[in-house]
Amino acid sequence: MFIITSKKYEFECPYTNSEFKKKFDHEIKDYTYRQLRKDFHLTDLYYGKRNNNTIEIHFHRFGKRDLDNPMFVGSIGKSENKSSTRVEGKFKRKTSNLIVSLLIIIFWLFVTIIGFTQNLTAGIILTAITCLAVYIFFWDNNTPQKIKEYFERYNMTFDNQDKNSDA
């Protein structure tokens, strides 16, 4: 899946808002880039932050420098039945990363056009490199699916709590 523009996502879990916030604050910590590179370089990790009802979640993949991966930015609200929590937000990239990627692509397109005017073979090779660069810049590395899996944990955890309380 490619993420160039933001993509909407909604999630509903059976926790109340205060329970959801408490569990989120317990599981998701805000790490610096240095901490991710030094302490958590060899682990898969969810990280982010929460300000009141706004959340931001990132997924750090084992052994990767993933500061340009998509992230989830959303808001916590009450669902229609008022006893559960609804999270609405978008998967998106940081604006600075998107701008730099687009500038590099424009530069490559310019170089490709110049290559075609000089030599047909050079133009074809540069076109292939440009297509590869677009693929690399906007490939999301399945980060949105991993973050969706994180949200699904809330439903599984609640189901397990219900089973334990019935026993």
Side-chain angles (χ1 to χ4, degrees):
M1 183 168 130
F2 290 93
I3 294 205
I4 298 172
T5 60
S6 58
K7 301 204 182 326
K8 286 182 131 184
Y9 179 68
E10 295 178 0
F11 171 76
E12 192 167 326
C13 72
Y15 289 101
T16 64
N17 277 5
S18 59
E19 291 171 337
F20 179 84
K21 289 175 185 177
K22 186 184 293 184
K23 188 166 175 62
F24 182 86
D25 290 341
H26 178 69
E27 292 179 352
I28 301 292
K29 305 293 185 218
D30 191 13
Y31 297 111
T32 64
Y33 176 68
R34 183 173 184 269
Q35 287 173 313
L36 287 173
R37 294 275 298 138
K38 185 177 179 185
D39 300 334
F40 301 106
H41 182 66
L42 299 177
T43 58
D44 285 348
L45 172 72
Y46 294 98
Y47 67 99
K49 59 186 171 185
R50 179 181 70 85
N51 288 332
N52 296 328
N53 289 334
T54 304
I55 61 173
E56 182 178 306
I57 301 175
H58 301 265
F59 178 69
H60 171 70
R61 195 170 300 278
F62 172 86
K64 301 286 183 185
R65 296 183 197 174
D66 49 11
L67 291 177
D68 59 339
N69 276 349
M71 63 184 165
F72 178 80
V73 178
S75 61
I76 303 169
K78 290 185 179 179
S79 66
E80 296 170 0
N81 63 8
K82 306 267 190 222
S83 63
S84 61
T85 299
R86 181 180 190 89
V87 177
E88 297 177 331
K90 295 179 178 185
F91 289 103
K92 64 180 193 171
R93 294 185 182 274
K94 289 183 180 178
T95 307
S96 60
N97 292 345
L98 191 62
I99 290 170
V100 169
S101 297
L102 290 174
L103 288 174
I104 291 171
I105 289 170
I106 289 170
F107 170 75
W108 270 107
L109 288 173
F110 181 70
V111 169
T112 302
I113 291 169
I114 291 172
F116 268 118
T117 61
Q118 299 300 316
N119 184 346
L120 184 61
T121 307
I124 291 171
I125 291 171
L126 288 173
T127 301
I129 292 172
T130 302
C131 291
L132 181 65
V134 169
Y135 178 79
I136 290 171
F137 286 147
F138 296 114
W139 179 249
D140 66 8
N141 205 12
N142 293 326
T143 300
Q145 285 80 7
K146 288 293 192 181
I147 294 174
K148 287 177 185 178
E149 288 174 12
Y150 169 76
F151 281 127
E152 290 302 320
R153 289 182 188 176
Y154 284 95
N155 285 334
M156 289 189 293
T157 305
F158 196 81
D159 292 339
N160 290 340
Q161 287 177 355
D162 285 345
K163 289 176 186 173
N164 291 339
S165 65
D166 290 342

